[in-house]
Structures are given as C-alpha cells and as structure tokens.
Amino acid sequence: MFNTDVGMMTAVQLAVHYMAKNPSGSSKGLIVCTASNAGLYPFPMAPIYSATKHGVIGLVRSLARPLEAESIRINAFAPAVIGMI
C-alpha cells in the first residue's frame, strides 16, 4: 500500500471523527476524495496507479451509507486525463 492510500484513509478517518462532533442539522459535513477515471475504467499504462484509484472509489462507495446515517456526505472526484496538443 502506498503512503497516499494510507494518507487518504487517515484523512477520511480524521474528517469523520471531527465532523461527527458538529451539531445536528441537515448536514454535519462533506468529504471529497480525489480519485481518477483510472479508478473507474481499465488503465493498462499505469496498473499500480489504477489500483490505488480503484481503492479510493471503493473506500468512498463503502463509506457512503454508514456516513449518511451520521449526516456526513462523502463523494469522489474522478477527473479524466486530458491530452495536450
């Protein structure tokens, strides 16, 4: 596991810890994780990078419902590769 994977999980864990302490209301907070289209589609040019981004997508999908019960939203931002001319 790369340090970025551990960093993402640690950041989410800390965000949830502190957001859970926010007063009740319509929402206690929003977490946005940066992933990539390489986490949604095959990316044979960089398989390890793709695997780490699949991990981010899996983390966000797995936490969405449990965090919803805590009034915390979590989303993943998956930008695509843009070619330069």
Side-chain angles (χ1 to χ4, degrees):
M1 188 176 291
F2 291 141
N3 287 337
T4 55
D5 297 335
V6 175
M8 176 75 67
M9 290 185 285
T10 302
V12 169
Q13 184 179 19
L14 282 170
V16 169
H17 173 77
Y18 287 105
M19 287 178 179
K21 295 180 180 199
N22 287 339
S24 295
S26 61
S27 176
K28 290 185 177 181
L30 167 65
I31 301 167
V32 179
C33 299
T34 304
S36 169
N37 271 353
L40 298 169
Y41 306 106
F43 194 60
M45 293 151 301
I48 295 172
Y49 174 79
S50 180
T52 62
K53 297 309 174 180
H54 272 80
V56 172
I57 299 293
L59 177 69
V60 170
R61 287 179 174 169
S62 297
L63 290 176
R65 289 217 174 149
L67 291 180
E68 182 180 28
E70 299 291 326
S71 298
I72 299 171
R73 294 186 309 151
I74 187 167
N75 291 305
F77 174 65
V81 175
I82 299 172
M84 300 286 288
I85 297 177

